[in-house]
Amino acid sequence: MTTSQKIKKTDLGKLLNQWSQEFTVLVPWRENGLATWAKWNGTDTSFIDWYRNTVVPAKAHFLPSQEEMFRFQKDEKGYHIELPDADEHKQLIFGIRPCDARALTIVSPIFEELYEDPYYLAKRNNTLLVGLACTRPCDSCFCTSLGINPAESIDVDLMVTDIGDQFLIEGISEAGKELIAGASEVKEATEADEAKAKEIKEASYQKVTRKVDTDNIKEKLSVCFEDEEHWEKVADNCISCGICTLLCPTCFCFDINDELVKKQGTRFRSWDSCAFSIYTKMPMENPREEKWRRVRQKVCHKFEFHPMSYDIIACVGCGRCIRQCPVNWDITQVLNNLPAKV
Amino acid sequence: MKEMEQRLQKEARALLEQGKVDYIIGFEPGSLKFTTTPLITKDKEDVERLVINPFIVNNLSVFLTELQGRVGIVVKGCDSRSIVSLIQDNKVVREDVVIIGIPCTGLIDLSKVELVTGKDRDELDDIAWQGDKITVRFDGEEKVFPTEEVLFDNCLGCECPTPQEYDILLGEPRPAAPNLTASRKNLEKLDGMSSEERWDFWKNEFSRCIRCYACRNVCPACFCKRCFVEESEPQWVLPVPRWQDNLIFQVIRNIHVAGRCTDCGECERACPVNIPLRSLSKRMYELVDELFQFKAGMDKDAVPLMTHYELEEAEDFIR
């Protein structure tokens, strides 16, 4: 008795087209050599062959790099605020990797618990995630050190694994199971199919060779927090750009800016980064003027402070911060070479 | 290259041991295949990690304005011109730097290697350079490409492979052999467009910008303590990454570095979303040359182009 379904690879387009009737379907896309997300164009499934992961993570479809919050006008009676219409736009992200799906699970409580962020939550609640098992992790990936199997996910609605000329499909959430209910191309998987998927998952796990020692990481960071000389050394080749943070699937900082043209105003929010020297300059001064303090903050926030509040490390080992860094600054080396032994 | 590397390690050690410098800035192997990372050290034992190979992409002169003290710095031709430009702008004192020059053969653009092999960089086993050929090994096969196909565009057009200014040169000077056509491929495409097409092109490119400011932060010519983009009164441009603001940011940045940009190509290489920034910076470089017969970083005693004026100035707007 099997619990999974399957679909021929050549039928994937049909399924995506079917979903497109209800959702805006996003799939991996390549533009100028850049792997990104784009609206499904109805035909091109070539990403199956080249796709490993996108440069900009799927978080951009929940917390966009820039977003209009509301408009306002000023007259003699004061300010009038015009809120945008409720966001009821339904989207489906096909091909999200287990690391990035976990990142959404880590980030969502921040927009939900202390304060409900309507912009983020509307998008999150109107989105279904179809995960695609990662069978070709990059040499910068270290997801397995963060408890993630690159080919398995419970953070998605539906999980898809490439088993040769077919995809194995596993329903994770009820909404995910509904996505394939009644689809004529979807068939019951055989035991052999499931065995093959299991084999692929185990093999994928083994392919991730970069490791981080996360044992007692909170404590280790806490002990060496004051070690200025150490952090200066760690930070010395950093150029303080925002790549590692802005492209990080678990970084969620944003800045708010008003644009006033005559008496018409628009309030925007956009990605911000603790790597920038002007971070938090608006409410006060940036307490982390020196570069090493900002680098320390980035590391400690993910591996010490966030776990203190949410009991989970705010890193999924997607490796973007290593892959995309212009100077090859490598967080795994930093974490594996902390001076404190606990 | 191995010989140069050994000589570099020896020279760097001597500089530190003799107290001629406080720091050495060079390259050490990176943590990913075919990468290097800047090594900034005071420790003479670290010099054994210094390497020279076709992947020493960073323009290390960007670190000079951060460090206090005397610095021994490893440079390629283009990087040395950035140092000269910094000296011209009084940002670096010539006596405070010991310039260790590499006669540069050009650097390998991994994006081009990916394009010609159809493989991602981490799937390649080896990239070897012999003469005018580059051999790439992957999946048990070997493929040979002319260097011209896989070097960075700016390297193909390099006017200054031997550092312009140096204290130690790690090899014989190399004559310049710029291949302008090859290095201007992307600019050619833009030159061939109508202004409407060009506008649409840049609109599309700048729509991807996420304002990480890597282009600015890797650039030695961008040495302002506070960038205009960070000013809020007046707000020249919003920090919101709308394509229009992104384009304006980049246009102003290019005007600011006009006469300082040495076409080192770092802005374009650092961009995580593949915006062809060199098509703007190289065009500005050409314009500066056409209008003012000026090339950045060629002569440390020359007055800087944009911060200099004379009382007899032909235009009266400045008086």
Side-chain angles (χ1 to χ4, degrees):
Chain A
M1 173 71 190
T2 60
T3 54
S4 341
Q5 277 79 33
K6 64 177 175 180
I7 186 172
K8 279 196 203 132
K9 269 184 174 173
T10 45
D11 282 340
L12 176 65
K14 286 184 200 159
L15 198 57
L16 294 173
N17 277 335
Q18 188 191 314
W19 291 338
S20 293
Q21 300 185 357
E22 195 184 345
F23 304 90
T24 297
V25 175
L26 297 169
V27 296
W29 183 250
R30 206 151 46 175
E31 189 186 349
N32 278 7
L34 180 83
T36 178
W37 295 103
K39 198 176 152 190
W40 160 245
N41 68 4
T43 50
D44 189 357
T45 52
S46 63
F47 63 85
I48 295 171
D49 298 319
W50 59 259
Y51 170 59
R52 299 174 82 188
N53 207 346
T54 55
V55 170
V56 177
K59 82 166 176 190
H61 294 283
F62 304 94
L63 179 69
S65 63
Q66 49 139 333
E67 182 171 28
E68 205 177 294
M69 299 177 84
F70 55 82
R71 295 178 179 216
F72 56 94
Q73 322 173 12
K74 195 184 175 186
D75 61 21
E76 55 283 356
K77 288 184 201 140
Y79 285 100
H80 301 276
I81 289 175
E82 190 191 320
L83 289 170
D85 293 334
D87 188 352
E88 281 162 8
H89 166 246
K90 292 173 81 173
Q91 60 182 357
L92 183 149
I93 299 181
F94 182 87
I96 191 168
R97 295 301 189 192
C99 52
D100 292 342
R102 174 65 52 81
L104 290 169
T105 303
I106 293 172
V107 165
S108 289
I110 294 154
F111 291 98
E112 210 166 0
E113 287 178 3
L114 281 171
Y115 169 77
E116 285 191 12
D117 185 297
Y119 304 95
Y120 180 93
L121 291 176
K123 293 181 192 69
R124 186 66 196 93
N125 296 335
N126 286 325
T127 303
L128 292 185
L129 302 175
V130 181
L132 191 55
C134 177
T135 52
R136 278 201 302 152
C138 302
D139 62 350
S140 42
C141 295
F142 55 103
C143 59
T144 53
S145 296
L146 282 311
I148 296 166
N149 181 323
E152 272 181 306
S153 181
I154 49 163
D155 304 293
V156 293
D157 296 289
L158 211 57
M159 189 62 196
V160 174
T161 308
D162 186 338
I163 52 166
D165 51 3
Q166 309 190 81
F167 285 120
L168 186 93
I169 308 178
E170 293 158 279
I172 309 291
S173 73
E174 284 312 310
K177 286 173 191 161
E178 257 173 52
L179 273 178
I180 44 168
S184 58
E185 302 81 20
V186 175
K187 312 272 187 253
E188 287 298 312
T190 63
E191 274 174 26
D193 297 329
E194 287 189 344
K196 189 151 189 202
K198 190 165 174 262
E199 208 176 283
I200 285 166
K201 284 171 189 179
E202 279 161 15
S204 294
Y205 193 91
Q206 297 304 327
K207 284 181 195 165
V208 179
T209 51
R210 185 172 294 272
K211 303 281 177 203
V212 166
D213 176 13
T214 52
D215 286 348
N216 298 322
I217 193 77
K218 257 195 314 192
E219 293 74 16
K220 281 188 206 165
L221 283 165
S222 170
V223 168
C224 64
F225 187 80
E226 303 282 353
D227 189 343
E228 183 174 330
E229 208 179 311
H230 172 72
W231 290 107
E232 273 180 352
K233 189 78 203 137
V234 164
D236 66 5
N237 62 353
C238 169
I239 52 149
S240 297
C241 77
I243 290 180
C244 55
T245 45
L246 301 187
L247 294 182
C248 173
T250 68
C251 271
F252 51 83
C253 284
F254 56 80
D255 187 17
I256 291 179
N257 282 276
D258 288 350
E259 183 182 53
L260 204 57
V261 180
K262 294 190 177 147
K263 285 178 178 165
Q264 299 284 324
T266 311
R267 176 159 294 183
F268 291 96
R269 76 166 166 189
S270 52
W271 289 350
D272 200 357
S273 165
C274 59
F276 296 153
S277 56
I278 62 156
Y279 183 75
T280 69
K281 199 88 174 178
M282 194 278 287
M284 52 171 284
E285 285 302 294
N286 185 349
R288 299 183 280 270
E289 203 182 317
E290 301 99 324
K291 181 169 78 174
W292 64 269
R293 290 184 194 273
R294 300 197 295 272
V295 169
R296 181 181 66 179
Q297 166 65 17
K298 176 178 68 188
V299 177
C300 290
H301 188 209
K302 295 192 173 302
F303 289 86
E304 185 186 353
F305 311 148
H306 192 88
M308 279 160 70
S309 312
Y310 292 91
D311 206 26
I312 188 164
I313 290 173
C315 170
V316 293
C318 72
R320 287 181 178 89
C321 57
I322 308 171
R323 230 168 16 250
Q324 303 298 335
C325 177
V327 296
N328 184 233
W329 188 90
D330 186 335
I331 195 163
T332 60
Q333 291 180 332
V334 175
L335 292 165
N336 289 335
N337 293 297
L338 292 171
K341 304 277 173 251
V342 177
Chain B
M1 252 172 222
K2 267 277 152 290
E3 258 171 52
M4 265 206 276
E5 206 171 271
Q6 283 165 359
R7 166 125 189 253
L8 165 64
Q9 294 176 359
K10 217 174 91 198
E11 299 277 4
R13 179 180 284 274
L15 288 171
L16 284 168
E17 274 176 351
Q18 292 161 18
K20 289 187 177 160
V21 299
D22 302 299
Y23 292 94
I24 287 287
I25 312 181
F27 300 92
E28 66 174 311
S31 71
L32 301 177
K33 278 187 195 169
F34 318 117
T35 62
T36 59
T37 186
L39 171 68
I40 302 172
T41 187
K42 287 178 150 185
D43 184 350
K44 65 178 192 302
E45 300 312 320
D46 287 348
V47 301
E48 281 161 35
R49 309 211 305 259
L50 289 168
V51 293
I52 299 175
N53 61 40
F55 310 106
I56 50 170
V57 288
N58 299 109
N59 185 337
L60 301 177
S61 66
V62 75
F63 295 105
L64 283 179
T65 43
E66 285 188 17
L67 294 175
Q68 307 288 327
R70 285 169 59 88
V71 177
I73 181 168
V74 179
V75 297
K76 310 177 289 287
C78 47
D79 313 336
S80 78
R81 292 174 63 187
S82 297
I83 298 183
V84 169
S85 185
L86 287 165
I87 294 168
Q88 286 177 278
D89 276 318
N90 283 336
K91 289 287 152 191
V92 167
V93 177
R94 179 64 185 93
E95 291 67 39
D96 286 348
V97 279
V98 175
I99 304 173
I100 310 169
I102 300 168
C104 182
T105 49
L107 303 177
I108 295 176
D109 182 345
L110 292 171
S111 307
K112 288 189 184 176
V113 178
E114 289 179 336
L115 215 61
V116 294
T117 57
K119 288 276 159 189
D120 290 337
R121 55 197 71 183
D122 62 334
E123 297 172 315
L124 305 172
D125 296 319
D126 189 37
I127 302 177
W129 186 327
Q130 299 105 4
D132 55 357
K133 300 261 187 298
I134 286 183
T135 308
V136 186
R137 221 157 36 76
F138 57 93
D139 294 347
E141 280 185 65
E142 265 189 13
K143 283 205 173 158
V144 182
F145 304 96
T147 47
E148 198 181 301
E149 278 183 33
V150 290
L151 293 192
F152 279 102
D153 282 358
N154 62 310
C155 296
L156 294 172
C158 180
E159 299 167 288
C160 198
T162 307
Q164 190 62 17
E165 181 82 18
Y166 57 81
D167 300 292
I168 298 163
L169 190 64
L170 298 172
E172 290 303 309
R174 286 181 65 84
N179 179 344
L180 209 59
T181 322
S183 98
R184 289 190 92 260
K185 243 186 218 160
N186 282 340
L187 282 89
E188 269 324 296
K189 252 188 267 164
L190 283 158
D191 288 345
M193 290 182 192
S194 68
S195 56
E196 288 80 14
E197 285 168 333
R198 248 194 326 258
W199 185 249
D200 288 343
F201 173 83
W202 285 117
K203 176 181 172 180
N204 183 46
E205 294 297 317
F206 280 111
S207 301
R208 292 198 302 273
C209 172
I210 54 167
R211 291 289 190 93
C212 65
Y213 300 115
C215 52
R216 177 192 70 186
N217 292 18
V218 292
C219 177
C222 267
F223 51 67
C224 289
K225 280 229 157 64
R226 185 151 188 186
C227 179
F228 72 95
V229 79
E230 289 159 0
E231 295 289 347
S232 53
E233 286 178 290
Q235 189 132 47
W236 305 102
V237 50
L238 274 191
V240 177
R242 289 183 300 191
W243 73 267
Q244 300 93 329
D245 300 72
N246 302 338
L247 174 65
I248 295 295
F249 160 62
Q250 206 55 240
V251 166
I252 299 180
R253 199 183 83 78
N254 269 279
I255 292 171
H256 284 183
V257 300
R260 297 187 173 99
C261 168
T262 62
D263 193 25
C264 74
E266 271 292 88
C267 48
E268 177 164 310
R269 191 193 60 80
C271 180
V273 292
N274 300 7
I275 301 174
L277 293 170
R278 182 176 169 266
S279 298
L280 288 177
S281 62
K282 172 67 173 168
R283 189 78 192 95
M284 181 59 89
Y285 180 96
E286 292 173 348
L287 278 172
V288 166
D289 194 16
E290 272 167 48
L291 295 170
F292 306 103
Q293 295 75 54
F294 188 93
K295 287 184 199 287
M298 297 303 272
D299 176 5
K300 66 177 188 303
D301 300 314
V303 287
L305 179 70
M306 289 297 170
T307 48
H308 171 78
Y309 78 101
E310 284 171 16
L311 289 172
E312 308 75 51
E313 206 68 53
E315 306 290 335
D316 61 5
F317 73 93
I318 205 159
R319 274 186 259 170

